[in-house]
Amino acid sequence: MSELKNDCYLRALLKQPVDCTPVWMMRQAGRYLPEYRATRGVAGDFMSLCKNAELASEVTLQPLKRFPLDAAILFSDILTIPDAMGLGLYFEAGEGPKFSHPITCKADVERIGIPDPEGELQYVMNAVRQIRHDLQGEVPLIGFSGSPWTLATYMVEGGSSKAFTKIKKMMYAEPQTLHLLLDKLADSVIEYLNAQIKAGAQAVMVFDTWGGVLTPRDYNEFSLRYMHKIVDGLIRENDGRRVPVTLFTKNGGMWLEQIAATGCDAIGLDWTIDISDAKRRVGDKVALQGNMDPSVLYAQPERIRQEVATILEGFGDTGTGHVFNLGHGIHLDVPPENAGVFVDAVHELSKPYHK
Ligand code: 1CP
């Protein structure tokens, strides 16, 4: 495999010196880019795009052609695992993901198996291999998965949710059923991420988008515990380099100390916490990723630059251990030029912090 030309992202995650703060954007490949919409049109629909290694690689690289981003992220989705478990993933126009066979009872959980990453999920590994080939060592490739809790919300609710009543009913009325499901999901995620690493992913990230809807007790028992199991089960070194793992719980700012204690390398932050407070609380234990509100990208260039400067100042002058990002995915109606202003501002304004 070719040498990495820009390893700034990996270095910052391991708290090693860098020349400027690395930056990437959650959902950097996607509908805000006209070229993404065109390629998705060629593929026909979203899942066909994920299953075509050449086209998945093409959309992964599209944002890197526009902006000097410091990392690429695999183009795929967190719902590939439940789909491979036989739940029948489909997308209804304007309504987001849905499952035709959601989990409703203990027998449903007992029926599902651990998907084979080089079997039902081989299309994901093929995309990883294709992207690594096409990247030609420019920047590292991030692999990812959903957290067991977040995957379980979609599997039990049957799709997206606002109140999470079905999964919370299972959590309080039948906790053993939910634990059985979460344990199978944790084992599946471990195999899936390790296969991504073997296929060429140089860092991995776990998206716990819905962990923040839980009480602190339930977060520990139903979400963090299973992410901890995942961190313990991951390959941490490959091809002579450490493979850093980032855990991101949206709305998880209250639990940074517990998240850091899992042994992860970095914590992803949304925008509801001040990065200076986060830094004070985790110290040198982990690196931090984040944390600009994605809606700032609707503003004028000067306002975007000002917010970048504030966050850099908040992280402070220890220089390393910060990967700049949005606190959640980029909105689909953001003008692409504004994303360019953001990426350039991070590189330019962070230089004084890295002398
Ligand atoms: O083209 C389309 O219309 C499909 C939209 C889309 C896209 C572009 C979906 C459906 N998934 C994706 C890609 C995707 N999903 C990536 C690609 C890499 C990148 O960041 O560039 C990633 C990392 C994800 C992860 C993902 N999917 C998460 C976790 C991160 C997050 O945003 O919180 C979640 C919760 C999903 C579920 C999902 N898949 C798709 C949608 C619209 C959703 C969200 C539904 C909801 O809000 O409940």
Side-chain angles (χ1 to χ4, degrees):
M1 293 239 179
S2 50
E3 274 296 301
L4 258 182
K5 292 172 198 151
N6 171 359
D7 65 354
C8 192
Y9 164 76
L10 294 178
R11 295 181 63 82
L13 287 177
L14 301 177
K15 299 188 275 347
Q16 295 165 352
V18 288
D19 296 330
C20 60
T21 301
V23 53
W24 68 283
M25 294 181 290
M26 283 196 258
R27 296 282 180 98
Q28 63 192 18
R31 278 182 291 179
Y32 75 107
L33 293 177
E35 57 270 36
Y36 168 81
R37 298 196 295 268
T39 310
R40 186 177 179 273
V42 171
D45 57 58
F46 171 68
M47 279 315 280
S48 305
L49 180 52
C50 293
K51 289 182 177 176
N52 180 317
E54 274 87 23
L55 295 182
S57 177
E58 185 180 305
V59 294
T60 300
L61 269 55
Q62 283 169 348
L64 295 141
K65 295 204 168 105
R66 276 189 185 248
F67 319 119
L69 295 155
D70 296 290
I73 179 159
L74 162 68
F75 189 82
S76 191
D77 197 72
I78 63 166
L79 301 174
T80 51
I81 288 182
D83 187 45
M85 287 173 158
L87 270 63
L89 174 65
Y90 67 98
F91 287 87
E92 218 147 79
E95 286 194 42
K98 289 213 155 80
F99 287 111
S100 45
H101 311 291
I103 299 283
T104 58
C105 59
K106 190 159 189 216
D108 288 344
V109 178
E110 281 166 348
R111 219 168 7 245
I112 57 175
I114 313 287
D116 174 1
E118 290 288 357
E120 307 92 292
L121 289 165
Q122 193 175 42
Y123 68 92
V124 179
M125 307 311 143
N126 289 342
V128 171
R129 288 184 274 264
Q130 182 73 44
I131 298 164
R132 268 305 294 276
H133 172 268
D134 295 346
L135 268 174
Q136 298 189 318
E138 287 298 333
V139 293
L141 175 61
I142 306 167
F144 72 90
S145 166
S147 72
W149 164 259
T150 291
L151 293 176
T153 65
Y154 288 96
M155 295 168 76
V156 175
E157 298 290 336
S160 305
S161 178
K162 286 204 166 74
F164 301 96
T165 49
K166 294 193 179 93
I167 191 150
K168 287 198 176 183
K169 180 177 174 190
M170 184 184 278
M171 180 173 80
Y172 290 122
E174 263 189 88
Q176 292 321 318
T177 301
L178 184 54
H179 277 303
L180 186 65
L181 174 59
L182 293 168
D183 204 52
K184 284 191 179 187
L185 284 167
D187 289 340
S188 303
V189 169
I190 291 168
E191 291 201 19
Y192 184 59
L193 288 178
N194 282 343
Q196 289 185 31
I197 292 167
K198 285 184 205 150
Q202 291 141 300
V204 292
M205 175 156 169
V206 179
F207 289 95
D208 186 30
T209 305
W210 304 120
V213 305
L214 293 168
T215 66
R217 282 88 56 203
D218 296 324
Y219 175 69
N220 264 298
E221 183 178 342
F222 294 94
S223 183
L224 189 62
R225 172 169 155 192
Y226 293 97
M227 290 200 282
H228 197 158
K229 180 174 178 178
I230 291 165
V231 172
D232 286 344
L234 288 180
I235 297 171
R236 301 303 284 276
E237 203 176 304
N238 192 42
D239 233 358
R241 272 193 102 124
R242 175 122 177 138
V243 183
V245 47
T246 300
L247 300 184
F248 169 65
T249 293
K250 186 159 174 277
N251 262 305
M254 312 75 105
W255 307 315
L256 300 181
E257 293 83 355
Q258 291 103 299
I259 300 171
T262 59
C264 63
D265 297 280
I267 301 181
L269 305 174
D270 67 14
W271 59 90
T272 62
I273 179 168
D274 206 286
I275 199 165
S276 59
D277 290 340
K279 180 83 196 304
R280 208 173 308 120
R281 282 168 50 196
V282 302
D284 283 334
K285 199 154 185 198
V286 289
L288 294 174
Q289 173 180 285
N291 74 331
M292 193 174 91
D293 185 334
S295 296
V296 174
L297 294 184
Y298 291 125
Q300 300 75 11
E302 262 326 297
R303 182 67 186 87
I304 296 171
R305 286 170 59 84
Q306 182 195 357
E307 194 68 15
V308 167
T310 303
I311 292 169
L312 287 169
E313 196 189 337
F315 186 83
D317 58 9
T318 50
T320 188
H322 183 201
V323 170
F324 219 111
N325 205 314
L326 306 174
H328 199 205
I330 185 167
H331 296 309
L332 54 86
D333 55 347
V334 156
E337 315 78 87
N338 292 14
V341 168
F342 164 69
V343 172
D344 289 343
V346 173
H347 286 151
E348 182 197 324
L349 302 175
S350 66
K351 286 214 170 71
Y353 293 96
H354 299 282
K355 282 195 187 126

